[in-house]
Amino acid sequence: TGCSKKNAADAKITKENLKVGFVYIGSIHDEGYTTAQDKGRLALESQGIKTMYVENVPENADCEKVIRDLIDQGCNVIYTTSFGFMDWTIKVAKEFPNIKFGHCSGYKRSENVSTYFGKMYEARYLAGIAAGLKTKTNKIGYVAAFPIPECIRGINGFARGVQSVNPDAKIEVVWTNTWYDPAVEKQAALEVLNKGCDVIEQHQDTTAPQIAAQEKGAFCIGYNVATPNAAPKAYLTAPVFHWDTFITDDVNSILEGTWKSRAYWEGLKSGMVDLAPLSSLCEKGTQEKIAEARKAIEDGSLQIFAGPLYDQTGNLMVKEGEVMSDEEVCNMNWFIKGVSGVIPLN
């Protein structure tokens, strides 16, 4: 019965009875987002902690069923790793107050649900430096998943990095409305490459845009994990997540009995996000420029979203001397000057 399950979960969580479940939107072999998320699970396994996972879970009611199945199989800590799993996570968590949940990239929390994400726009700023120095046409393409703040702030952070070394470069955004669809991602990449973009960046879960860049004789920046072998004649670097930074910290706090629901949102300094090693295709001097910017971001002397900041139509959005707050960055819904592309109104 439901009662006995709840009572079983009441027992103190120890390393012996701990079982951690993961709900994945893609395949652990996608060489992108889910591969990166799974490194968090593997870090737990390496500590002798029992884990389970389910791949290719859609962002609909199937997600709720998967969460319940993991609970039935004894999971007492569950991580749901995609934005669209948010409401199902909150719904099930209400019924199982003794189970701890972590939801990736969402904004809804409760007593037993934390949210976690990385300040990827910091790593994207560094990637922008590599792209800005590499482009010859001053046209850089950006293949992006959904017109939501997560993607928008990443595009803007990247554009700031580009503009820091190449103020003439323009960013061309194309939306795919999918996280994971290699064929659609590749088609979108070809669309911007055919417009004359000679470097592309992506907010997508597969290497398809990178492969498109190589086929067109252009250059690319990956995402989520380092993928130098996917398109070796095109790949420059990739902003990457180290989900294990959060997952191991979170699980250890459960075992120590200090766990509290929180909104975890950390950047370069914590190691939660990073820039993968540069390939030999990067322009000379790129490494030095990136090292300089990284140090400034980490010590706080470089604020990526400090004013004056104008939107793409020239309106002043952030005044000189002001810096966007975390909350404003979290809810960003406008493109900065130099980015072309439309943000559809939801």
Side-chain angles (χ1 to χ4, degrees):
T1 67
C3 292
S4 62
K5 261 189 322 219
K6 283 190 191 179
N7 294 340
D10 258 342
K12 183 176 175 346
I13 295 177
T14 63
K15 197 164 174 182
E16 290 63 47
N17 68 16
L18 174 62
K19 196 172 187 184
V20 186
F22 290 81
V23 182
Y24 293 143
I25 193 165
S27 153
I28 61 170
H29 304 297
D30 69 2
E31 286 191 273
Y33 182 75
T34 301
T35 298
Q37 286 277 359
D38 199 52
K39 288 183 176 182
R41 183 186 68 81
L42 294 171
L44 295 181
E45 293 241 308
S46 72
Q47 292 179 21
I49 290 166
K50 292 189 285 291
T51 71
M52 292 183 72
Y53 64 94
V54 183
E55 300 171 281
N56 301 311
V57 178
E59 293 178 311
N60 59 27
D62 290 4
C63 160
E64 181 183 346
K65 183 184 179 305
V66 167
I67 298 170
R68 290 179 184 281
D69 286 350
L70 288 170
I71 293 169
D72 284 343
Q73 292 172 79
C75 290
N76 41 15
V77 177
I78 293 174
Y79 295 102
T80 54
T81 63
S82 193
F83 181 78
F85 297 158
M86 178 167 65
D87 290 336
W88 312 110
T89 304
I90 294 290
K91 182 182 175 189
V92 179
K94 271 199 184 109
E95 266 181 67
F96 295 91
N98 301 305
I99 290 175
K100 307 274 192 285
F101 293 84
H103 175 243
C104 182
S105 79
Y107 53 85
K108 293 183 181 176
R109 284 173 292 283
S110 66
E111 270 186 27
N112 59 328
V113 183
S114 280
T115 53
Y116 65 100
F117 206 55
K119 294 184 177 180
M120 184 46 82
Y121 65 88
E122 293 184 354
R124 289 199 185 279
Y125 182 98
L126 301 181
I129 293 173
L133 293 171
K134 189 70 189 175
T135 180
K136 298 287 180 279
T137 61
N138 282 341
K139 285 184 172 179
I140 297 170
Y142 202 117
V143 182
F146 292 95
I148 60 174
E150 179 192 332
C151 295
I152 293 165
R153 66 175 173 260
I155 292 164
N156 286 336
F158 175 75
R160 292 286 284 165
V162 169
Q163 292 165 0
S164 74
V165 293
N166 184 347
D168 299 327
K170 298 279 181 276
I171 319 294
E172 178 89 33
V173 177
V174 58
W175 302 109
T176 61
N177 293 305
T178 174
W179 296 114
Y180 181 95
D181 188 325
V184 171
E185 294 172 38
K186 190 172 182 187
Q187 198 44 54
L190 290 170
E191 191 184 310
V192 286
L193 289 161
N194 289 337
K195 286 182 177 174
C197 293
D198 60 349
V199 180
I200 61 168
E201 163 65 310
Q202 64 180 73
H203 194 136
Q204 296 289 170
D205 289 1
T206 83
T207 57
Q210 298 162 54
I211 292 160
Q214 179 163 290
E215 285 173 11
K216 284 284 184 181
F219 297 95
C220 63
I221 290 166
Y223 180 43
N224 293 303
V225 290
T227 49
N229 302 327
K233 292 180 184 155
Y235 173 89
L236 301 176
T237 182
V240 297
F241 281 108
H242 291 303
W243 297 109
D244 52 312
T245 302
F246 166 75
I247 297 289
T248 53
D249 179 76
D250 203 53
V251 168
N252 287 334
S253 75
I254 292 168
L255 292 174
E256 287 160 9
T258 57
W259 188 93
K260 282 188 175 67
S261 169
R262 58 179 168 162
Y264 180 96
W265 201 43
E266 297 293 336
L268 289 167
K269 199 174 177 181
S270 70
M272 181 69 177
V273 302
D274 203 354
L275 189 69
L278 304 184
S279 81
S280 59
L281 298 173
C282 286
E283 289 300 295
K284 201 167 175 295
T286 301
Q287 187 73 62
E288 292 73 12
K289 286 265 191 232
I290 286 173
E292 197 182 309
R294 174 196 289 271
K295 184 178 177 300
I297 292 169
E298 289 187 9
D299 70 23
S301 58
L302 168 55
Q303 293 289 337
I304 293 171
F305 296 121
L309 275 184
Y310 296 87
D311 72 8
Q312 62 187 160
T313 57
N315 296 313
L316 180 64
M317 302 297 279
V318 183
K319 291 181 190 141
E320 175 92 52
E322 290 183 3
V323 179
M324 290 180 76
S325 68
D326 272 0
E327 193 176 340
E328 287 168 335
V329 174
C330 262
N331 294 300
M332 213 170 207
N333 61 358
W334 51 276
F335 280 148
I336 67 168
K337 203 169 177 200
V339 177
S340 61
V342 176
I343 299 174
L345 294 169
N346 296 341

